[in-house]
Amino acid sequence: MLMGKNKKAGAAGKGKRILITVNVIGSAGPMRFVVDERETVRLVIDMVLRSYAREGRLPVLGSDVDGFVMFCPGAESDALSPCEAIGAKGFRTFMLCKKPQPVKSRGGDNTATGKHDTVLARRETGSWESWTNKSVSLKVAPH
């Protein structure tokens, strides 16, 4: 009996453990993790990338945590802040996407200023959900 009380007292200091589901864009299926609800989004992204690589899933994503953003599919909001607690909004299903990479323009150097012309990848109007649907849609070639 005494042991049971000690376990409960020790568990009170920790946050609640929750089961989350993370869908990675381009991956075959979701990944599930049990995490502390107070863990940061950045730590969860790191955990997902490590597990994804360990399982040998495709496409290969890499390990740069700063190159990814996490969304709550049910919420109409921007990406979660990397410093935010994963359980802060109450969602248990998340989507992991790569951040858009800057694309260099074809103009090259601007000789007048000596600076490189860089343009961010064009952002489509609409929500991230429409982008997700377009990137995941099946493309069937005509025979």
Side-chain angles (χ1 to χ4, degrees), residues 21 23 71-77 91-95 128-129:
T21 302
N23 293 305
F71 295 96
C72 297
E76 293 186 21
S77 65
F91 290 100
R92 301 294 182 257
T93 304
F94 302 94
M95 188 170 298
W128 61 269
E129 292 177 60

Side-chain angles (χ1 to χ4, degrees), residues 69-86:
V69 291
M70 191 173 275
F71 295 96
C72 297
E76 293 186 21
S77 65
D78 290 333
L80 297 173
S81 168
C83 302
E84 186 175 1
I86 195 72

Side-chain angles (χ1 to χ4, degrees), residues 30-132:
M31 301 178 77
R32 290 182 178 84
F33 300 94
V34 176
V35 298
D36 186 335
E37 69 180 353
R38 295 182 297 179
E39 288 183 5
T40 62
V41 172
R42 181 180 177 81
L43 185 65
V44 172
I45 291 173
D46 184 48
M47 188 184 315
V48 170
L49 293 176
R50 287 175 191 253
S51 180
Y52 189 91
R54 191 179 321 117
E55 292 177 13
R57 291 185 177 222
L58 295 175
V60 176
L61 298 176
S63 60
D64 181 23
V65 177
D66 296 325
F68 294 88
V69 291
M70 191 173 275
F71 295 96
C72 297
E76 293 186 21
S77 65
D78 290 333
L80 297 173
S81 168
C83 302
E84 186 175 1
I86 195 72
K89 296 194 179 195
F91 290 100
R92 301 294 182 257
T93 304
F94 302 94
M95 188 170 298
L96 185 68
C97 306
K98 277 191 172 183
K99 286 183 182 175
Q101 299 296 320
V103 179
K104 290 192 177 195
S105 66
R106 294 183 183 180
D109 290 337
N110 186 346
T111 55
T113 60
K115 295 181 181 178
H116 294 286
D117 292 330
T118 57
V119 179
L120 287 178
R122 184 174 169 223
R123 188 172 180 189
E124 294 184 30
T125 56
S127 68
W128 61 269
E129 292 177 60
S130 63
W131 174 83
T132 303

